[in-house]
Amino acid sequence: MEISAIVAEDVGILPPAAAGVVLHKLQADVEAGEQAAPEEEDAAGEDAGAAFLLKLKVEIKTQSTRGLQQPAGDVEQRENALIRPGEDISLSGLSLDEFTLPSRPSFGTNGRQIVLRTNYFRVTTKPGAEIFRYEMGFSPSLSDPEKKNRTNRRKARRLVELLFLNNPQLHGAGFATDYSKFIVTAQKLPLQGREIELQQRYYEAEESGPRPNATNYKITISNERSFPIQQLLDYISSPPGVTSAGFDKKPEQFYDYPVGERPYDNINLGKGLIFLKGFYTSIRTSTLRVLVNINVANAAFYPAMNLLGLMQLHTGNLAQARASGLEAFIRLLKVSHNYIDMKKPGDPHSGVKRVKTVQGFSRPNAKVKFPIMGNANTIKFRCEELNPPREITVSAYFKQKYKVSLQKPNDPCINVGTVDKPSFIPPELLTVEPGQQYRKRLNDQQTRQMIAFAVRRPAENARRIVEVGAPMMGLSENNTNLVTFGIKVLPSMITVRGRILPAGSVQYKVGNILKPFPTRGGSWDVRDRAFSDGKHLRNWGFIKFANNEINRADVEQFRKILGACGMRSDEPSPPNGFEAFLERGEAEEVWDQKIQQGLKEAHSRGVKILLVILPDANAFVYSRIKFYAENKAGVSEQS
């Protein structure tokens, strides 16, 4: 026997409008069961497929085409020439030996033709332009063995900037790079033989120059390859079947580097996170042209603020920091401090921040039994700088060495070193660096808030892409790097032709007569209507995962709604439903066991359709119900 889990918040008070999608699914599932058992009296009719059309919502908005740029004529002409009416489009000729794309047989002709804006912009290049790609290496290496040899991109980015800033032979060359292995320039670099070696002492952007003990890096640029832009243009202009238009089709990433997110708006998501709307770009080749795609991006970020304040926002009570997952929340955050400048106010490097990575709180290691989540008063270490060397607390160390009196010495210190070689700093002296994305899972409330803020109408997204996104991503005439490469991005979105297809209609029963009902805005519902062939709901039940007051009257109200839609229904079995209450405070493992047991019990009682009543909008419970229904019981689920 089959169980089909249908998730609803509270079936007892579902109005007809909200219950529409559930009723469509019930009708469809009952019908599907009857198709599998044709001996039952209400077998499905020939028009059964219509019942599976649940509640489709498609929003089509058209705007006046007055002043709208028409699609490019040369592109349309070339694409129209590719149409091969009547050509065999079977797959029999496909081969791995010589890959060719199939031709399009024709354009559609149904509906009304319109012109649509797209979030693509045309890229033009200077005639005869050529770009040069080189391999790049750093010594000492910028790869971190503890992070799977990934390059320290922040330091690599700064080194490349300094390289082109401080070496006259590179001025005006323009560059694009992955800050790891490759660099692309608009002009040929003066290699000495096959490579060029340049020395660069590292210093931060806020510093006026390198410190006396700054690391001196050797940067090697080698293995030049040149790419005439015309080869790319020849390739995208060539007709189908031409496989070698002088363009190397191996994936070269130099024209597809993401510029990165540049957020322009934010919202507080709670628990120490903010929501940012930004943009991302990608390059696409198209018929006769190169296009840049700009789209909106939405993500959660850490706010740039005092680290102690962030910790308090996340957990509320630092005494419960371990239970709240605070250490996991802040681990690997980039933080900065400048308390060293308090010691030497006359230092020429005064005001320069030092960026560190949070490893977590204090914990014992092989050498020292540090307290777990110790604070500035409880963590002691042996300080060799003192005369004579001796043990000292973190609080006393900062007071003596940096003349800093801590305001919150009892809050847990932060380890910005390693487990074996820790370096403890009180969080009140640390600031979270801006632009750090939160990549872990959001809670249910944060997810709902994020969705509500992210959803915008296409017209609003289009305005923001043109007015904010393109300039913010550097795709304007003010970008000197693009000018150096001879690249220009046209400011208008490209347009294409499309068609609005005629809306279909759905037949419902009104009284004893079938009547067609046109869709409204691409959607339809079951309010004040009945299914053309209402089915009989048998062997159904409901399960409660919360102690909801679902009484007899609620069940009868649900059956009444079914009847209004033309569906007959038996009594649920059992009449009071199945129960598997998930108590607050219980471990997720306990909830998992209860969910599995509740669904097993319903399955053993021969229930064919099971209505699931959730305790709240809990993502864990929802996902586990789906898992056991679809992966274990092998039944469909519809929410």
Side-chain angles (χ1 to χ4, degrees), residues 622-635:
Y622 178 78
S623 65
R624 298 313 290 170
I625 292 172
K626 286 178 66 71
F627 172 78
Y628 285 117
E630 298 177 354
N631 294 41
K632 295 296 185 180
V635 300

Side-chain angles (χ1 to χ4, degrees), residues 209-499:
R211 295 171 178 268
N213 60 346
T215 303
N216 188 36
Y217 287 91
K218 181 177 73 172
I219 304 171
T220 304
I221 300 175
S222 60
N223 294 335
E224 176 186 293
R225 293 181 65 188
S226 63
F227 297 87
I229 296 295
Q230 190 58 45
Q231 291 184 2
L232 171 63
L233 300 179
D234 290 343
Y235 174 74
I236 61 179
S237 301
S238 60
V242 176
T243 57
S244 58
F247 172 59
D248 186 349
K249 295 187 289 299
K250 293 180 181 180
E252 300 287 356
Q253 297 298 311
F254 54 81
Y255 56 78
D256 199 18
Y257 297 133
V259 178
E261 274 196 341
R262 306 287 183 86
Y264 64 86
D265 205 356
N266 70 80
I267 186 176
N268 181 15
L269 287 176
K271 290 287 186 179
L273 294 176
I274 59 174
F275 173 79
L276 297 179
K277 289 180 71 68
F279 305 93
Y280 67 87
T281 62
S282 59
I283 292 290
R284 299 285 186 271
T285 54
S286 179
T287 304
L288 298 180
R289 54 191 175 180
V290 178
L291 303 174
V292 58
N293 172 249
I294 308 178
N295 214 336
V296 295
N298 310 294
F301 280 77
Y302 293 92
M305 62 181 297
N306 178 262
L307 180 59
L308 178 58
L310 177 67
M311 292 162 57
Q312 292 169 335
L313 283 177
H314 180 72
T315 190
N317 183 1
L318 290 181
Q320 301 175 355
R322 292 182 67 188
S324 69
L326 178 58
E327 185 173 42
F329 178 72
I330 63 173
R331 190 172 185 275
L332 300 182
L333 264 182
K334 300 294 182 183
V335 293
S336 61
H337 67 79
N338 60 2
Y339 57 80
I340 292 179
D341 301 321
M342 300 177 185
K343 179 187 175 186
K344 298 178 180 180
D347 192 316
H349 301 286
S350 180
V352 177
K353 62 185 179 182
R354 278 77 173 175
V355 178
K356 304 288 185 180
T357 301
V358 172
Q359 296 301 322
F361 300 125
S362 68
R363 63 182 70 249
N365 62 25
K367 297 180 180 179
V368 183
K369 300 300 181 183
F370 292 114
I372 296 176
M373 286 190 67
N375 60 49
N377 289 330
T378 60
I379 296 177
K380 294 182 179 181
F381 65 98
R382 181 174 178 80
C383 182
E384 301 294 338
E385 301 174 26
L386 301 179
N387 190 13
R390 61 185 184 275
E391 276 198 345
I392 188 173
T393 65
V394 172
S395 178
Y397 176 80
F398 275 85
K399 177 68 174 178
Q400 184 169 332
K401 184 174 179 66
Y402 301 117
K403 311 303 181 194
V404 176
S405 298
L406 299 178
Q407 303 298 311
K408 302 280 187 177
N410 294 323
D411 289 328
C413 283
I414 303 299
N415 179 11
V416 295
T418 64
V419 174
D420 295 329
K421 295 182 179 180
S423 176
F424 298 112
I425 301 177
E428 64 183 86
L429 301 180
L430 297 172
T431 301
V432 179
E433 286 289 280
Q436 298 186 74
Q437 185 175 346
Y438 181 77
R439 301 184 184 277
K440 302 181 182 70
R441 181 176 175 177
L442 299 176
N443 63 35
D444 297 333
Q445 183 179 358
Q446 290 170 328
T447 300
R448 287 194 297 270
Q449 219 171 339
M450 187 170 180
I451 292 173
F453 188 75
V455 175
R456 292 291 183 270
R457 291 188 177 276
E460 183 177 348
N461 279 338
R463 282 194 297 271
R464 293 198 173 192
I465 287 172
V466 173
E467 297 172 3
V468 182
M472 192 173 286
M473 302 298 281
L475 303 178
S476 67
E477 294 181 352
N478 297 326
N479 188 330
T480 55
N481 207 34
L482 286 184
V483 173
T484 303
F485 276 94
I487 294 174
K488 182 179 181 180
V489 179
L490 301 186
S492 299
M493 287 182 170
I494 70 166
T495 58
V496 296
R497 300 196 187 278
R499 289 183 174 274

Side-chain angles (χ1 to χ4, degrees), residues 52-101:
F52 288 89
L53 299 173
L54 302 182
K55 191 170 183 179
L56 180 65
K57 290 187 176 181
V58 180
E59 182 179 2
I60 300 177
K61 296 290 185 182
T62 59
Q63 299 178 358
S64 171
T65 58
R66 287 181 299 176
L68 188 63
Q69 177 182 331
Q70 293 298 302
D74 57 339
V75 175
E76 281 196 324
Q77 184 177 2
R78 174 58 63 87
E79 290 178 341
N80 289 341
L82 301 180
I83 299 300
R84 308 284 177 81
E87 183 177 279
D88 179 21
I89 58 172
S90 69
L91 303 181
S92 59
L94 288 181
S95 169
L96 295 177
D97 298 330
E98 185 175 351
F99 176 73
T100 56
L101 295 174

